[in-house]
Amino acid sequence: MKYCYKYWRPSVATDCVIFGFTGKQLKVLLIKRNVEPFKDCWALPGGFLRESDNTAEECALRELKEETDLILTNDRIWQLGVSSEAARDPRTRVISLSFIALVTPSEVKGGDDASDAQWFNLNEIPSLAFDHAKILENAKEALKQKIHFEPIGYDLLGEEFTIPQVQALYESIQGVTYDRRNFARKIQTSGFLIPLDKKASGTAHRPAHLFSCDKELFRENARRLKFETKK
Amino acid sequence: MKYCYKYWRPSVATDCVIFGFTGKQLKVLLIKRNVEPFKDCWALPGGFLRESDNTAEECALRELKEETDLILTNDRIWQLGVSSEAARDPRTRVISLSFIALVTPSEVKGGDDASDAQWFNLNEIPSLAFDHAKILENAKEALKQKIHFEPIGYDLLGEEFTIPQVQALYESIQGVTYDRRNFARKIQTSGFLIPLDKKASGTAHRPAHLFSCDKELFRENARRLKFETKK
DNA sequence: CCAAAAGTGTTTCCGATACACCCATGA
DNA sequence: TCATGGGTGTATCGGAAACACTTTTGG
């Protein structure tokens, strides 16, 4: 018991909700806990804030690397919220600071190497440790909102992508479907897409054109990309 | 030093950004610190999380009451974010969890009683303790976003209000101006306003009609109240 | 009677939607 | 040649914006 204080203090931990997209489905990165409590249970990657962590973000990134071999930077995670209920951790009082990050398809594939880390489809999430299920729900909701304001979609798609992939991503985040033609027009006239003069391959049908995203332009315009259908 | 732990722990505090609206201007509630550090400096009301606080929200509400005599409930505050930089507090490592709340004109008037608490216009904010200026900026931004999705405007307006007041509120939150006629039409056709068959008084001109807000209806429709002008 | 702000209606315009046909590729 | 999904064009509709005159009150 080497750390002594005049007043009571809680433990502080961070948890990361990492979303990845493989071209078809939105996924979340989870780790299998190897210690009590919730041993052998799936959980969000995360861990306790240390004195050497200059910020909570640093802590989140450090734990993410340790537990999943995924190396991200400060500008790729953002705050989601705080879980502070006294009973949320059976051991001791733990305040959890949660973060969200988005990773590209190549990072999703790399992540498979880590021993106890695994990507799960959003509709196949196992039961989770602590209140992580709640945190994940909040993250899904935050993602829905955020995609209207920021070019986060393109963080999930990587350097090159096709318009149908963008549509699939938006649809899986929002849980709706859009008209193919209206979607393509809107996203092309928005001006953020840079045609790459290349085509996708490996499909048993007509290949789609590849694009990349001009994120600067996206941010400047700050336009909302919202797609709806009334049917 | 009666609190001893096996691992290092930071202190955890909460800070509240309380917005109030008096009919003309958006205001923020600040307190004057009477202890070091930042003694005699203005700051957001808040304080350290105690073992007896079941959640961070509880802590925020307790401190708010102690420091400003303002009594709010759980459903009237919401999370804003986390400040965790190691150097943000010169004494020791403190993680700040920030919250936002909105109060009605009558609560704004009541709040004046508290000794060291005072309401400030948003364009007359003094220099603030710690990183509270940054937190306040974040709160203003969050308010801008949130007003599109939730009937928060009516939390700031109280039970009875006129349409020009609603407009003044929206304009001061967004920092823009709207066309009077388009604004009135949009807000009336939205169906959330209940005409009270009363008129405001005390003005040296034609008095405006009073309305109240059907919040249930607002939430059900979940419609976005967004006002724009291209000029 | 005047000043000051409230209330109201119409036209215009642009973006969003619905919808159908042709194209490129691999099997 | 066929199945599959990609690419494009058009008519329509509805909500948003622009805009001006009349009304009510207190002074």
Side-chain angles (χ1 to χ4, degrees):
Chain A
M1 294 297 187
K2 51 183 288 212
Y3 293 96
C4 294
Y5 308 103
K6 190 170 173 190
Y7 300 104
W8 173 83
R9 297 184 178 193
S11 285
V12 172
T14 60
D15 291 299
C16 284
V17 181
I18 309 293
F19 288 109
F21 187 70
T22 53
K24 273 293 161 202
Q25 280 223 283
L26 198 58
K27 292 169 184 283
V28 174
L29 183 58
L30 301 175
I31 57 149
K32 192 165 216 164
R33 289 179 60 84
N34 52 21
V35 292
E36 292 292 350
F38 295 100
K39 191 166 188 290
D40 298 324
C41 195
W42 292 96
L44 298 172
F48 289 101
L49 184 73
R50 298 182 190 165
E51 196 167 8
S52 55
D53 297 321
N54 203 49
T55 61
E57 282 78 0
E58 243 178 56
C59 168
L61 295 171
R62 176 180 55 71
E63 293 284 351
L64 190 62
K65 177 169 177 296
E66 290 173 12
E67 294 181 339
T68 72
D69 288 341
L70 196 57
I71 299 179
L72 297 183
T73 49
N74 225 310
D75 55 338
R76 291 185 61 190
I77 63 172
W78 74 88
Q79 286 178 24
L80 171 62
V82 179
S83 293
S84 60
E85 265 182 50
R88 66 176 291 281
D89 191 312
R91 294 166 293 184
T92 180
R93 186 71 182 269
V94 180
I95 308 291
S96 160
L97 313 178
S98 46
F99 291 85
I100 301 189
L102 308 176
V103 303
T104 61
S106 62
E107 288 168 317
V108 172
K109 291 190 182 66
D112 280 346
D113 302 339
S115 53
D116 290 330
Q118 199 176 307
W119 290 94
F120 287 84
N121 288 334
L122 273 188
N123 50 359
E124 297 165 357
I125 302 291
S127 114
L128 298 180
F130 306 107
D131 52 0
H132 288 188
K134 183 80 187 304
I135 293 174
L136 179 56
E137 279 310 307
N138 293 343
K140 283 158 69 176
E141 193 52 43
L143 192 58
K144 271 193 195 181
Q145 302 290 331
K146 186 122 177 167
I147 203 167
H148 291 314
F149 300 98
E150 307 228 13
I152 56 175
Y154 308 106
D155 291 335
L156 285 164
L157 289 164
E159 280 305 307
E160 302 186 342
F161 50 82
T162 68
I163 289 181
Q165 279 173 357
V166 182
Q167 182 171 355
L169 172 62
Y170 271 74
E171 288 179 343
S172 71
I173 288 177
Q174 299 293 351
V176 298
T177 57
Y178 301 115
D179 182 274
R180 223 161 32 89
R181 297 155 290 202
N182 294 334
F183 188 94
R185 179 176 6 181
K186 183 158 183 177
I187 208 146
Q188 286 188 91
T189 57
S190 72
F192 311 128
L193 295 193
I194 303 162
L196 291 181
D197 209 24
K198 286 199 287 183
K199 292 182 176 181
S201 60
T203 55
H205 55 78
R206 178 175 179 174
H209 288 114
L210 285 168
F211 293 84
S212 68
C213 175
D214 186 332
K215 290 189 195 176
E216 286 313 309
L217 207 54
F218 193 121
R219 263 182 256 271
E220 278 169 30
N221 290 24
R223 278 180 55 179
R224 208 172 290 187
L225 280 178
K226 193 168 175 232
F227 302 93
E228 283 177 348
T229 177
K230 288 213 170 130
K231 236 198 322 194
Chain B
M1 295 294 191
K2 52 183 288 216
Y3 293 95
C4 294
Y5 309 103
K6 191 171 173 191
Y7 301 102
W8 174 83
R9 297 184 179 195
S11 285
V12 172
T14 59
D15 292 299
C16 284
V17 181
I18 309 294
F19 288 109
F21 187 71
T22 53
K24 272 293 161 202
Q25 280 224 280
L26 198 58
K27 291 166 185 285
V28 174
L29 184 57
L30 300 175
I31 57 149
K32 192 166 214 163
R33 289 180 59 85
N34 52 21
V35 292
E36 293 291 349
F38 295 100
K39 190 164 189 289
D40 298 324
C41 195
W42 291 96
L44 298 172
F48 288 101
L49 184 74
R50 298 181 191 167
E51 195 167 8
S52 55
D53 297 321
N54 203 47
T55 60
E57 282 79 1
E58 242 178 56
C59 168
L61 295 171
R62 177 181 54 72
E63 293 283 352
L64 190 62
K65 177 169 177 298
E66 290 173 12
E67 295 181 338
T68 72
D69 288 342
L70 196 57
I71 299 179
L72 298 184
T73 49
N74 224 310
D75 55 339
R76 291 185 60 191
I77 62 171
W78 73 87
Q79 286 179 22
L80 171 62
V82 179
S83 293
S84 61
E85 265 182 50
R88 66 175 292 280
D89 191 314
R91 293 166 294 184
T92 180
R93 186 71 182 267
V94 180
I95 309 291
S96 159
L97 314 177
S98 46
F99 292 86
I100 301 189
L102 307 176
V103 304
T104 62
S106 62
E107 289 169 316
V108 172
K109 291 189 184 64
D112 279 349
D113 301 338
S115 54
D116 291 329
Q118 199 175 308
W119 291 94
F120 287 84
N121 289 334
L122 273 188
N123 49 0
E124 297 165 358
I125 302 292
S127 116
L128 299 180
F130 307 107
D131 52 0
H132 287 189
K134 182 82 187 302
I135 293 174
L136 178 56
E137 280 310 306
N138 292 342
K140 283 158 71 176
E141 192 53 40
L143 191 58
K144 271 194 194 180
Q145 302 290 330
K146 186 125 175 163
I147 203 167
H148 291 314
F149 300 98
E150 308 228 13
I152 57 174
Y154 308 106
D155 292 334
L156 285 163
L157 289 163
E159 280 306 306
E160 302 185 343
F161 49 84
T162 68
I163 289 181
Q165 278 172 358
V166 182
Q167 183 172 353
L169 172 62
Y170 271 74
E171 288 178 343
S172 70
I173 288 177
Q174 300 293 351
V176 296
T177 58
Y178 301 114
D179 181 274
R180 231 163 21 92
R181 296 155 290 198
N182 293 334
F183 188 94
R185 170 156 12 91
K186 182 157 182 178
I187 209 147
Q188 281 181 295
T189 56
S190 72
F192 310 129
L193 295 193
I194 305 162
L196 291 181
D197 210 25
K198 284 198 289 184
K199 291 182 179 180
S201 60
T203 55
H205 53 80
R206 178 176 180 173
H209 288 114
L210 285 168
F211 294 83
S212 67
C213 175
D214 188 332
K215 290 190 197 175
E216 286 313 309
L217 206 54
F218 193 120
R219 263 182 256 273
E220 277 168 31
N221 290 24
R223 276 181 55 181
R224 207 172 289 188
L225 279 177
K226 190 165 178 234
F227 302 93
E228 286 179 345
T229 177
K230 287 212 173 132
K231 238 201 318 194

